[in-house]
Amino acid sequence: MLTALWYGLGTAVPLFLGAAIGLLYNLPRPVLAGLMAFGAGAMVAAVSTELFAPAFADQGLWAAGGALMLGTVVYVVADRVIENMLGPAALGWALMLGALLDGVPENAALGTTLASGSGGIVLLVAVAVGNIPEAVAGATSMRSALSHRSALLIRGVTAVLLVAVVVVATAFADSLPEAGIPLIQAFAGGATIAVIADSLMPEAYREGGWWVGICTSLGFLVAFALGA
């Protein structure tokens, strides 16, 4: 359980630090784009090696593929609902809710991966790196609407919730049906792919241009090497 707590903190602390950076500093947009692209590459490695591959090996194409597509559809639909409800004027709130929307399945998958004894280091790196630019962008958008203290408090609560998700998922993984863990991992993989396609890569390319492809490959390589 202590390991789950440390892994949970490993995903949540970057979220809080990213919010602090976004509130206090104006990062150059190319730097933020590079971080997004690096995180996207790390997420690709996590989806392929720690989320979908175990589910595919355990449950086969139809079950694992169905869970993957379900995770993608749930994220896309929920993200669209958030955008329509809050609109561009509340971008910071939308990004914060988005952090929960993709963070909950990702951290649940991290907890179940730890319980299955698979290590989870690639997924940890992917989630942690991806949380930084997302938090920076969200906090920057919140500057005009909230005080620094209020924005940090909101991000702090989000971080605590995500830590709790890892711990709870690890604690109750043994109570899940046999197919539960791999299907949760595949579901989270689908949500992660949607995050990469909908949010990280379009924004990274818009802000950073051609060189984000290099950053993306570097993120994949680092995450894959850590999990090898």
Side-chain angles (χ1 to χ4, degrees), residues 28 43 46 48 55 61 74 93 114 121 132-133 166 181 195 217 221 223:
M43 287 181 176
S48 58
L61 176 62
V74 167
W93 289 98
L114 288 174
I121 187 65
I132 294 174
V166 178
I181 290 178
V195 172
S217 291
L221 179 61

Side-chain angles (χ1 to χ4, degrees), residues 183-205:
L183 293 182
I184 288 174
Q185 290 172 324
F187 179 93
T192 302
I193 290 173
V195 172
I196 295 169
D198 285 4
S199 303
L200 286 180
M201 289 312 300
E203 183 69 16
Y205 186 80

Side-chain angles (χ1 to χ4, degrees), residues 4-222:
L5 178 61
W6 283 116
Y7 270 64
L9 288 172
T11 66
V13 169
L15 189 70
F16 188 78
L17 289 178
I21 292 170
L23 290 170
L24 299 175
Y25 303 101
N26 288 315
L27 285 183
R29 302 305 293 180
V31 172
L32 188 58
L35 284 172
M36 288 181 179
F38 187 92
M43 287 181 176
V44 171
V47 171
S48 58
T49 61
E50 293 202 357
L51 293 180
F52 188 70
F56 178 80
D58 189 85
Q59 295 296 311
L61 176 62
W62 291 107
L68 181 92
M69 293 307 301
L70 180 61
T72 302
V73 170
V74 167
Y75 177 85
V76 170
V77 171
D79 188 56
R80 181 61 58 187
V81 170
I82 289 171
E83 287 181 1
N84 290 338
M85 289 178 60
L86 298 179
L91 176 61
W93 289 98
L95 288 173
M96 186 202 72
L97 291 174
L100 281 175
L101 201 60
D102 64 87
V104 168
E106 286 173 352
N107 282 33
L110 180 59
T112 54
T113 299
L114 288 174
S116 67
S118 301
I121 187 65
V122 175
L123 184 55
L124 172 62
V125 171
V127 174
V129 173
N131 280 346
I132 294 174
E134 188 175 17
V136 171
T140 300
S141 302
M142 282 181 163
R143 282 180 179 177
S144 60
L146 294 171
S147 67
H148 287 187
R149 179 178 296 180
S150 297
L152 283 176
L153 178 61
I154 291 171
R155 285 292 175 173
V157 170
T158 304
V160 170
L161 288 174
L162 293 180
V163 172
V165 169
V166 178
V167 174
V168 171
T170 304
F172 289 95
D174 291 339
S175 303
L176 294 172
E178 184 177 347
I181 290 178
L183 293 182
I184 288 174
Q185 290 172 324
F187 179 93
T192 302
I193 290 173
V195 172
I196 295 169
D198 285 4
S199 303
L200 286 180
M201 289 312 300
E203 183 69 16
Y205 186 80
R206 183 163 51 245
E207 297 293 341
W210 60 270
W211 74 289
V212 299
I214 297 172
C215 296
T216 305
S217 291
L218 183 61
F220 176 87
L221 179 61
V222 170

